mmCIF file of all heavy atoms in Angstrom:
data_model
loop_
_atom_site.group_PDB
_atom_site.id
_atom_site.type_symbol
_atom_site.label_atom_id
_atom_site.label_comp_id
_atom_site.label_asym_id
_atom_site.label_seq_id
_atom_site.Cartn_x
_atom_site.Cartn_y
_atom_site.Cartn_z
ATOM 1 N N VAL A 1 0.829 -1.193 0.005
ATOM 2 C CA VAL A 1 -0.006 0.000 0.006
ATOM 3 C C VAL A 1 0.875 1.244 -0.003
ATOM 4 O O VAL A 1 0.633 2.186 -0.754
ATOM 5 C CB VAL A 1 -0.967 -0.020 1.194
ATOM 6 C CG1 VAL A 1 -1.615 1.357 1.394
ATOM 7 C CG2 VAL A 1 -2.028 -1.072 1.008
ATOM 8 N N ASN A 2 1.913 1.240 0.814
ATOM 9 C CA ASN A 2 2.797 2.409 0.876
ATOM 10 C C ASN A 2 3.532 2.690 -0.423
ATOM 11 O O ASN A 2 3.877 3.826 -0.710
ATOM 12 C CB ASN A 2 3.707 2.330 2.080
ATOM 13 C CG ASN A 2 3.055 2.751 3.355
ATOM 14 O OD1 ASN A 2 2.163 3.628 3.341
ATOM 15 N ND2 ASN A 2 3.386 2.122 4.439
ATOM 16 N N GLU A 3 3.772 1.653 -1.226
ATOM 17 C CA GLU A 3 4.370 1.869 -2.551
ATOM 18 C C GLU A 3 3.422 2.629 -3.465
ATOM 19 O O GLU A 3 3.859 3.278 -4.420
ATOM 20 C CB GLU A 3 4.740 0.518 -3.172
ATOM 21 C CG GLU A 3 5.907 -0.154 -2.522
ATOM 22 C CD GLU A 3 6.239 -1.519 -3.135
ATOM 23 O OE1 GLU A 3 5.693 -1.841 -4.214
ATOM 24 O OE2 GLU A 3 7.035 -2.252 -2.549
ATOM 25 N N LEU A 4 2.124 2.565 -3.201
ATOM 26 C CA LEU A 4 1.118 3.221 -4.042
ATOM 27 C C LEU A 4 0.823 4.639 -3.587
ATOM 28 O O LEU A 4 0.108 5.382 -4.300
ATOM 29 C CB LEU A 4 -0.205 2.390 -4.012
ATOM 30 C CG LEU A 4 -0.101 0.984 -4.576
ATOM 31 C CD1 LEU A 4 -1.472 0.266 -4.303
ATOM 32 C CD2 LEU A 4 0.247 0.975 -6.022
ATOM 33 N N LEU A 5 1.318 5.035 -2.440
ATOM 34 C CA LEU A 5 0.988 6.320 -1.832
ATOM 35 C C LEU A 5 2.121 7.333 -1.984
ATOM 36 O O LEU A 5 3.296 6.924 -1.906
ATOM 37 C CB LEU A 5 0.658 6.179 -0.341
ATOM 38 C CG LEU A 5 -0.584 5.360 -0.004
ATOM 39 C CD1 LEU A 5 -0.617 5.123 1.518
ATOM 40 C CD2 LEU A 5 -1.840 6.093 -0.459
ATOM 41 N N ALA A 6 1.804 8.600 -2.142
ATOM 42 C CA ALA A 6 2.801 9.660 -2.177
ATOM 43 C C ALA A 6 3.409 9.843 -0.789
ATOM 44 O O ALA A 6 4.614 10.084 -0.632
ATOM 45 C CB ALA A 6 2.226 10.945 -2.696
ATOM 46 N N VAL A 7 2.581 9.756 0.232
ATOM 47 C CA VAL A 7 2.998 9.882 1.639
ATOM 48 C C VAL A 7 2.644 8.612 2.338
ATOM 49 O O VAL A 7 1.478 8.202 2.323
ATOM 50 C CB VAL A 7 2.278 11.101 2.327
ATOM 51 C CG1 VAL A 7 2.665 11.176 3.767
ATOM 52 C CG2 VAL A 7 2.603 12.395 1.582
ATOM 53 N N ALA A 8 3.623 7.963 2.953
ATOM 54 C CA ALA A 8 3.437 6.672 3.555
ATOM 55 C C ALA A 8 2.401 6.769 4.691
ATOM 56 O O ALA A 8 2.295 7.729 5.416
ATOM 57 C CB ALA A 8 4.717 6.158 4.115
ATOM 58 N N ALA A 9 1.623 5.676 4.819
ATOM 59 C CA ALA A 9 0.629 5.516 5.903
ATOM 60 C C ALA A 9 1.262 4.699 7.020
ATOM 61 O O ALA A 9 2.116 3.820 6.723
ATOM 62 C CB ALA A 9 -0.634 4.870 5.372
ATOM 63 N N SER A 10 0.804 4.907 8.202
ATOM 64 C CA SER A 10 1.305 4.105 9.321
ATOM 65 C C SER A 10 0.658 2.722 9.270
ATOM 66 O O SER A 10 -0.333 2.517 8.616
ATOM 67 C CB SER A 10 0.969 4.787 10.672
ATOM 68 O OG SER A 10 -0.437 4.685 10.903
ATOM 69 N N ALA A 11 1.241 1.780 10.003
ATOM 70 C CA ALA A 11 0.695 0.436 10.064
ATOM 71 C C ALA A 11 -0.692 0.478 10.638
ATOM 72 O O ALA A 11 -1.571 -0.295 10.217
ATOM 73 C CB ALA A 11 1.608 -0.452 10.913
ATOM 74 N N ASP A 12 -0.930 1.359 11.618
ATOM 75 C CA ASP A 12 -2.282 1.483 12.202
ATOM 76 C C ASP A 12 -3.298 1.989 11.186
ATOM 77 O O ASP A 12 -4.426 1.489 11.146
ATOM 78 C CB ASP A 12 -2.263 2.399 13.401
ATOM 79 C CG ASP A 12 -1.572 1.787 14.623
ATOM 80 O OD1 ASP A 12 -1.434 0.547 14.700
ATOM 81 O OD2 ASP A 12 -1.127 2.573 15.511
ATOM 82 N N GLU A 13 -2.897 2.948 10.362
ATOM 83 C CA GLU A 13 -3.801 3.459 9.342
ATOM 84 C C GLU A 13 -4.153 2.395 8.319
ATOM 85 O O GLU A 13 -5.327 2.258 7.936
ATOM 86 C CB GLU A 13 -3.175 4.666 8.636
ATOM 87 C CG GLU A 13 -3.073 5.894 9.443
ATOM 88 C CD GLU A 13 -2.356 7.022 8.734
ATOM 89 O OE1 GLU A 13 -1.270 6.768 8.203
ATOM 90 O OE2 GLU A 13 -2.916 8.156 8.751
ATOM 91 N N VAL A 14 -3.179 1.610 7.924
ATOM 92 C CA VAL A 14 -3.448 0.562 6.933
ATOM 93 C C VAL A 14 -4.307 -0.515 7.582
ATOM 94 O O VAL A 14 -5.264 -0.985 6.946
ATOM 95 C CB VAL A 14 -2.097 -0.046 6.396
ATOM 96 C CG1 VAL A 14 -2.388 -1.250 5.520
ATOM 97 C CG2 VAL A 14 -1.333 1.011 5.632
ATOM 98 N N ARG A 15 -4.049 -0.851 8.847
ATOM 99 C CA ARG A 15 -4.895 -1.869 9.521
ATOM 100 C C ARG A 15 -6.346 -1.363 9.598
ATOM 101 O O ARG A 15 -7.236 -2.146 9.348
ATOM 102 C CB ARG A 15 -4.367 -2.115 10.919
ATOM 103 C CG ARG A 15 -5.123 -3.226 11.630
ATOM 104 C CD ARG A 15 -4.779 -3.395 13.097
ATOM 105 N NE ARG A 15 -5.218 -2.192 13.791
ATOM 106 C CZ ARG A 15 -4.390 -1.380 14.477
ATOM 107 N NH1 ARG A 15 -3.107 -1.633 14.555
ATOM 108 N NH2 ARG A 15 -4.871 -0.311 15.060
ATOM 109 N N ASP A 16 -6.543 -0.083 9.872
ATOM 110 C CA ASP A 16 -7.911 0.451 9.914
ATOM 111 C C ASP A 16 -8.562 0.354 8.533
ATOM 112 O O ASP A 16 -9.738 0.025 8.428
ATOM 113 C CB ASP A 16 -7.890 1.942 10.370
ATOM 114 C CG ASP A 16 -7.549 2.114 11.833
ATOM 115 O OD1 ASP A 16 -7.606 1.120 12.592
ATOM 116 O OD2 ASP A 16 -7.177 3.223 12.206
ATOM 117 N N ALA A 17 -7.788 0.610 7.488
ATOM 118 C CA ALA A 17 -8.328 0.537 6.129
ATOM 119 C C ALA A 17 -8.661 -0.916 5.758
ATOM 120 O O ALA A 17 -9.684 -1.204 5.118
ATOM 121 C CB ALA A 17 -7.331 1.124 5.097
ATOM 122 N N VAL A 18 -7.818 -1.830 6.157
ATOM 123 C CA VAL A 18 -8.042 -3.281 5.909
ATOM 124 C C VAL A 18 -9.285 -3.708 6.649
ATOM 125 O O VAL A 18 -10.160 -4.398 6.088
ATOM 126 C CB VAL A 18 -6.817 -4.123 6.318
ATOM 127 C CG1 VAL A 18 -7.154 -5.608 6.301
ATOM 128 C CG2 VAL A 18 -5.635 -3.813 5.416
ATOM 129 N N ASN A 19 -9.401 -3.332 7.932
ATOM 130 C CA ASN A 19 -10.583 -3.700 8.716
ATOM 131 C C ASN A 19 -11.875 -3.111 8.127
ATOM 132 O O ASN A 19 -12.920 -3.776 8.123
ATOM 133 C CB ASN A 19 -10.429 -3.295 10.154
ATOM 134 C CG ASN A 19 -9.444 -4.175 10.890
ATOM 135 O OD1 ASN A 19 -9.298 -5.358 10.560
ATOM 136 N ND2 ASN A 19 -8.780 -3.629 11.868
ATOM 137 N N TRP A 20 -11.816 -1.875 7.618
ATOM 138 C CA TRP A 20 -13.015 -1.282 6.976
ATOM 139 C C TRP A 20 -13.404 -2.111 5.775
ATOM 140 O O TRP A 20 -14.594 -2.415 5.559
ATOM 141 C CB TRP A 20 -12.708 0.174 6.586
ATOM 142 C CG TRP A 20 -13.917 0.872 6.042
ATOM 143 C CD1 TRP A 20 -14.830 1.591 6.728
ATOM 144 C CD2 TRP A 20 -14.344 0.869 4.669
ATOM 145 N NE1 TRP A 20 -15.800 2.045 5.852
ATOM 146 C CE2 TRP A 20 -15.509 1.639 4.576
ATOM 147 C CE3 TRP A 20 -13.849 0.319 3.490
ATOM 148 C CZ2 TRP A 20 -16.217 1.856 3.400
ATOM 149 C CZ3 TRP A 20 -14.523 0.537 2.303
ATOM 150 C CH2 TRP A 20 -15.696 1.288 2.258
ATOM 151 N N ASN A 21 -12.416 -2.465 4.938
ATOM 152 C CA ASN A 21 -12.691 -3.270 3.749
ATOM 153 C C ASN A 21 -13.226 -4.658 4.135
ATOM 154 O O ASN A 21 -14.098 -5.207 3.477
ATOM 155 C CB ASN A 21 -11.441 -3.435 2.873
ATOM 156 C CG ASN A 21 -11.244 -2.228 1.947
ATOM 157 O OD1 ASN A 21 -12.011 -2.037 1.050
ATOM 158 N ND2 ASN A 21 -10.216 -1.440 2.226
ATOM 159 N N HIS A 22 -12.706 -5.190 5.233
ATOM 160 C CA HIS A 22 -13.197 -6.486 5.708
ATOM 161 C C HIS A 22 -14.667 -6.382 6.146
ATOM 162 O O HIS A 22 -15.464 -7.231 5.801
ATOM 163 C CB HIS A 22 -12.327 -6.956 6.881
ATOM 164 C CG HIS A 22 -12.642 -8.330 7.378
ATOM 165 N ND1 HIS A 22 -13.395 -8.551 8.498
ATOM 166 C CD2 HIS A 22 -12.343 -9.550 6.858
ATOM 167 C CE1 HIS A 22 -13.530 -9.829 8.660
ATOM 168 N NE2 HIS A 22 -12.890 -10.474 7.699
ATOM 169 N N ASP A 23 -14.973 -5.309 6.852
ATOM 170 C CA ASP A 23 -16.383 -5.090 7.301
ATOM 171 C C ASP A 23 -17.354 -4.939 6.085
ATOM 172 O O ASP A 23 -18.497 -5.320 6.202
ATOM 173 C CB ASP A 23 -16.474 -3.841 8.183
ATOM 174 C CG ASP A 23 -15.829 -4.006 9.520
ATOM 175 O OD1 ASP A 23 -15.508 -5.158 9.933
ATOM 176 O OD2 ASP A 23 -15.593 -2.995 10.209
ATOM 177 N N GLN A 24 -16.812 -4.398 4.981
ATOM 178 C CA GLN A 24 -17.632 -4.197 3.790
ATOM 179 C C GLN A 24 -17.713 -5.473 2.925
ATOM 180 O O GLN A 24 -18.439 -5.525 1.933
ATOM 181 C CB GLN A 24 -17.080 -3.066 2.950
ATOM 182 C CG GLN A 24 -17.014 -1.746 3.659
ATOM 183 C CD GLN A 24 -18.360 -1.273 4.168
ATOM 184 O OE1 GLN A 24 -19.312 -1.273 3.415
ATOM 185 N NE2 GLN A 24 -18.442 -0.911 5.415
ATOM 186 N N GLY A 25 -16.933 -6.480 3.276
ATOM 187 C CA GLY A 25 -16.933 -7.733 2.508
ATOM 188 C C GLY A 25 -15.979 -7.712 1.318
ATOM 189 O O GLY A 25 -15.992 -8.655 0.508
ATOM 190 N N HIS A 26 -15.143 -6.689 1.196
ATOM 191 C CA HIS A 26 -14.216 -6.581 0.065
ATOM 192 C C HIS A 26 -12.942 -7.388 0.311
ATOM 193 O O HIS A 26 -12.275 -7.790 -0.671
ATOM 194 C CB HIS A 26 -13.820 -5.131 -0.200
ATOM 195 C CG HIS A 26 -14.969 -4.247 -0.500
ATOM 196 N ND1 HIS A 26 -15.918 -4.522 -1.458
ATOM 197 C CD2 HIS A 26 -15.337 -3.042 0.039
ATOM 198 C CE1 HIS A 26 -16.831 -3.552 -1.512
ATOM 199 N NE2 HIS A 26 -16.486 -2.636 -0.606
ATOM 200 N N VAL A 27 -12.588 -7.557 1.556
ATOM 201 C CA VAL A 27 -11.328 -8.234 1.916
ATOM 202 C C VAL A 27 -11.664 -9.383 2.882
ATOM 203 O O VAL A 27 -12.499 -9.241 3.740
ATOM 204 C CB VAL A 27 -10.373 -7.223 2.591
ATOM 205 C CG1 VAL A 27 -9.176 -7.925 3.185
ATOM 206 C CG2 VAL A 27 -9.937 -6.178 1.597
ATOM 207 N N GLY A 28 -11.007 -10.498 2.670
ATOM 208 C CA GLY A 28 -11.185 -11.655 3.559
ATOM 209 C C GLY A 28 -9.915 -11.895 4.340
ATOM 210 O O GLY A 28 -8.825 -11.393 4.003
ATOM 211 N N ARG A 29 -10.094 -12.686 5.396
ATOM 212 C CA ARG A 29 -8.956 -12.983 6.279
ATOM 213 C C ARG A 29 -8.981 -14.481 6.616
ATOM 214 O O ARG A 29 -10.029 -15.018 6.958
ATOM 215 C CB ARG A 29 -9.048 -12.157 7.573
ATOM 216 C CG ARG A 29 -8.018 -12.509 8.612
ATOM 217 C CD ARG A 29 -8.185 -11.707 9.866
ATOM 218 N NE ARG A 29 -9.501 -12.021 10.471
ATOM 219 C CZ ARG A 29 -10.151 -11.217 11.272
ATOM 220 N NH1 ARG A 29 -9.711 -10.045 11.550
ATOM 221 N NH2 ARG A 29 -11.323 -11.583 11.782
ATOM 222 N N LEU A 30 -7.824 -15.094 6.523
ATOM 223 C CA LEU A 30 -7.657 -16.492 6.966
ATOM 224 C C LEU A 30 -6.464 -16.556 7.894
ATOM 225 O O LEU A 30 -5.467 -15.842 7.668
ATOM 226 C CB LEU A 30 -7.434 -17.418 5.743
ATOM 227 C CG LEU A 30 -8.610 -17.683 4.848
ATOM 228 C CD1 LEU A 30 -8.180 -18.513 3.659
ATOM 229 C CD2 LEU A 30 -9.704 -18.390 5.609
ATOM 230 N N HIS A 31 -6.573 -17.374 8.897
ATOM 231 C CA HIS A 31 -5.436 -17.544 9.819
ATOM 232 C C HIS A 31 -4.539 -18.656 9.308
ATOM 233 O O HIS A 31 -5.005 -19.762 9.036
ATOM 234 C CB HIS A 31 -5.935 -17.855 11.246
ATOM 235 C CG HIS A 31 -4.819 -17.895 12.235
ATOM 236 N ND1 HIS A 31 -4.222 -16.738 12.674
ATOM 237 C CD2 HIS A 31 -4.185 -18.909 12.832
ATOM 238 C CE1 HIS A 31 -3.285 -17.037 13.534
ATOM 239 N NE2 HIS A 31 -3.216 -18.364 13.639
ATOM 240 N N ASN A 32 -3.249 -18.364 9.189
ATOM 241 C CA ASN A 32 -2.272 -19.319 8.771
ATOM 242 C C ASN A 32 -1.642 -19.887 10.026
ATOM 243 O O ASN A 32 -0.886 -19.239 10.743
ATOM 244 C CB ASN A 32 -1.207 -18.659 7.904
ATOM 245 C CG ASN A 32 -0.165 -19.641 7.386
ATOM 246 O OD1 ASN A 32 0.218 -20.588 8.038
ATOM 247 N ND2 ASN A 32 0.257 -19.375 6.138
ATOM 248 N N ASP A 33 -1.992 -21.139 10.367
ATOM 249 C CA ASP A 33 -1.495 -21.764 11.584
ATOM 250 C C ASP A 33 0.049 -21.951 11.556
ATOM 251 O O ASP A 33 0.690 -21.832 12.582
ATOM 252 C CB ASP A 33 -2.156 -23.120 11.812
ATOM 253 C CG ASP A 33 -3.629 -23.001 12.168
ATOM 254 O OD1 ASP A 33 -4.004 -21.939 12.751
ATOM 255 O OD2 ASP A 33 -4.394 -23.903 11.841
#
């Protein structure tokens, strides 16, 4: 994501964006044991 941005985002900001997308059903999550 930071490669796509002019100004880097923090890990927390990206996590918030990922969680928002997850809540919308755009992004899925699987746990790798």
Side-chain angles (χ1 to χ4, degrees):
V1 167
N2 278 327
E3 288 178 12
L4 299 173
L5 296 170
V7 177
S10 71
D12 289 339
E13 289 176 311
V14 174
R15 185 189 65 240
D16 290 343
V18 170
N19 286 331
W20 184 91
N21 276 292
H22 186 259
D23 290 346
Q24 301 302 310
H26 301 309
V27 171
R29 174 182 63 204
L30 288 174
H31 186 74
N32 183 325
D33 292 331

